[in-house]
Amino acid sequence: MSCGTVVEHQLDMTRSGSVRVCGLAVVLLLFLARVARADSLTLAWDPNPETDVQGYVLSWGTQPGVYVTHLNVGNQTSAQATGLADRTAYYFVVQAYNSYGEMSLPSVEVSRRVGIPISVPGDFLGDFRSSLTVFRPSAGAWLVWESGGAASYVWGGAADIPVHGDYDGDGEADVTVFRPSTGTWYIRYSSGASLPPIVWGVAGDIPVPGDYDGDGITDVAVFRPSTGLWYIRYSSGASFAPPDWGGAGDVPVAGDYDGDGITDIAVFRPSNGTWYIRYSSGVSIPAPVWGGVGDVAVPGDYDGDGITDVAISEFSIR
């Protein structure tokens, strides 16, 4: 099965055996099971077309950029990393080598937290793909495209905000709305069952659902712009002292920016185009400047490495 990965820089091995910079992209093969085994992960990458490639070395560790384990897999394009600890984030790279034993530079780093259910954003069908979905506020209707037609659900109303996520940890997105007027969350599980409404938030709060404790289940959460506080209710029902991150005018852009499988608290400040990211570990990073006044923040995993990318949609008035 092809991974469909784009190799941005090919490994160029000349007759003298020199190696040019290589940017092989690695793709985790996590679509084989909803929950990755707690002790192993299977990875795959696109083959390099150069004729003198003799094999690949897969390396990994539990910190970004720090790889303590190395596996020479020979001239094959997939391998299994074993001996992994449950619920731990691992970071992987692959390098090619030639007949002289010279190595390319590492590929783009990818990450995965093992033993945690896999959920693709907007995957209402359980096929590891985001579904084409429309929420029609006027009727509270959800239209989910399926092969051969569309499934429809009536869930919500005109003033509600769609906040779908995997709230039961089964790997499928659940139809969910947040009602700003009352701060109430209405969750309809993919099984068809529903939860009692959850009151979490007040008027003016912005819903920011995410997996903030890394258990594979979407947590109910809101960002309060007036105070810059984040109120997070874990899937277990527990909550903690709300962290202060951001303020009036900031846009919440929660995502997994370090690839550890846990949603990070983050805001985008349109007035200066700065992204302020607070890792789940509690540390923060130098704030990247990307965008400006009038831009819309659209964070997402655009290169498939398991890490949320900083991105904006630029609009101009003509």
Side-chain angles (χ1 to χ4, degrees), residues 71-83:
L71 178 64
N72 188 336
V73 303
N75 200 3
Q76 58 184 9
T77 56
S78 66
Q80 189 176 65
T82 59

Side-chain angles (χ1 to χ4, degrees), residues 290-318:
W290 193 255
V293 177
D295 291 341
V296 177
V298 285
D301 182 10
Y302 292 94
D303 54 3
D305 63 355
I307 302 175
T308 300
D309 303 310
V310 168
I312 54 134
S313 177
E314 185 178 19
F315 291 92
S316 61
I317 300 176
R318 299 181 183 277

